[in-house]
Amino acid sequence: MKLATLNDGSRDGQLLVVSRDLSRAVKAQGVNTMQQLLENWSDFEPGLQQQYAQLNNGELSETLFFDPAQVMAPLPRTHQFVDGSAFLNHGNIMEQAFNLTIKNEDNRPIMIQRQGDDFRGPCEDYPFPSEADNGDFEGEVAVILDDTPMGVTPAEAESKVRLLVLMNDVSMRAHLFKEIQLGFGFLLAKPATVFGPVAVTPDELGEDWKEGRVHLDMNVSRNGEWFGNPNGGEMDFSFGELIAHLCYNRNLRAGMVLGSGTFSNEKYNKVGSACLAERRAIDVIECGEPKTDFLHFGERLRFEMFGRDGQSIFGAIDHRFVQADSKR
């Protein structure tokens, strides 16, 4: 099942059921918002699955043309968003390039709590205060959970995944190391996150959702030019393992969003990267200094993942970086 949130002017929008080919949509029956659905999944999911089947079979008369420019993030806001760094290759590249030493003797997953009250839609212009903030992007996937109790095993945790989403984890690299040195986590370095047009249930990925990982390429382009297509199968910690680690001492509630961290593969010379920081680190390794610029105003980014049948899974994040209005 594929779901989206129409921007109707309200904070949480109107929940839509979207056809598998992303061409048509219909207002969800019996439930208005994504958060309402997630908090009452067992009540509403069967009816929405039936509506989804009818939509795909052409059995519904009153449908809408699905326009990604008219939707918000599938879940426009939530009470908790945690982002991981589950592709250890990314960290290995950064350590090699900049002679960093990361102490993680017990090999625990790297995660950080993030802003969850202002998710951005897939086609919105993204305002930056200044190019000096060193704008960056990170192509990721995230899971959205049902209620998940403290102490779950990885297998139990994976069963709580209700939806998957595509995301661009926007960064302001000029602030990152300054904030790390303060010893209290990121703030200005990680502004609002951008999400793809639709959220999908795990079955939509078929055999490419296995072992708690998305075994598909993250296709990234910058100004229409290929930037990378790393695969999610090299994720070192599965989503089940990340969730179980987080649930060691807490419950997680329906609507919790957990990101994978930027996709990163060992054969980066073949598949490229999904973020600028990694590409710049590779420049340092290969050339002795960064050659790749951070983002400039007016640049356009696109992120998309395709199934084995060539069909776009989540639709595309396709947006520009622009000068922020100083009055905002």
Side-chain angles (χ1 to χ4, degrees), residues 243-256:
I243 297 164
H245 178 74
L246 193 55
C247 285
Y248 170 75
N249 60 359
R250 70 196 67 198
N251 301 312
L252 300 177
R253 296 306 181 192
M256 154 74 185

Side-chain angles (χ1 to χ4, degrees), residues 265-280:
N265 291 173
E266 288 188 11
K267 295 183 178 179
Y268 56 78
N269 57 343
K270 180 180 180 181
V271 301
S273 300
C275 85
L276 285 172
E278 181 172 303
R279 176 66 61 83
R280 287 170 59 86

Side-chain angles (χ1 to χ4, degrees), residues 5-164:
T5 294
L6 179 68
N7 187 351
D8 64 355
S10 66
R11 288 181 183 270
D12 296 304
Q14 167 65 53
L15 185 64
L16 299 176
V17 178
V18 182
S19 62
R20 181 170 287 114
D21 66 2
L22 305 177
S23 66
R24 309 296 299 176
V26 64
K27 290 184 179 180
Q29 291 181 343
V31 56
N32 294 321
T33 70
M34 182 69 82
Q35 186 63 36
Q36 184 183 3
L37 168 60
L38 291 163
E39 292 178 358
N40 302 276
W41 185 264
S42 61
D43 294 333
F44 294 121
E45 187 264 348
L48 294 182
Q49 286 284 10
Q50 182 179 8
Q51 194 177 15
Y52 181 60
Q54 293 173 327
L55 178 61
N56 287 321
N57 293 333
E59 299 172 3
L60 300 178
S61 57
E62 296 185 7
T63 64
L64 310 168
F65 170 73
F66 182 66
D67 180 3
Q70 299 300 315
V71 300
M72 309 164 77
L75 180 61
R77 55 178 176 158
T78 191
H79 45 273
Q80 183 164 220
F81 168 37
V82 173
D83 197 22
S85 184
F87 291 82
L88 299 184
N89 182 68
H90 173 70
N92 293 339
I93 291 172
M94 303 303 289
E95 289 181 48
Q96 180 183 351
F98 301 110
N99 297 314
L100 303 175
T101 300
I102 307 299
K103 295 182 179 180
N104 189 4
E105 295 175 357
D106 55 356
N107 196 35
R108 66 176 57 203
I110 302 170
M111 289 188 277
I112 187 168
Q113 290 189 317
R114 296 283 304 283
Q115 174 190 7
D117 61 339
D118 185 31
F119 292 152
R120 302 294 175 87
C123 302
E124 296 179 44
D125 284 348
Y126 198 105
F128 252 55
S130 170
E131 288 186 356
D133 289 315
N134 292 343
D136 195 357
F137 53 84
E138 296 186 22
E140 305 187 20
V141 291
V143 294
I144 306 178
L145 304 181
D146 203 337
D147 286 335
T148 307
M150 186 174 81
V152 292
T153 66
E156 292 168 340
E158 189 178 323
S159 74
K160 299 297 184 179
V161 172
R162 293 291 171 258
L163 297 166
L164 293 104

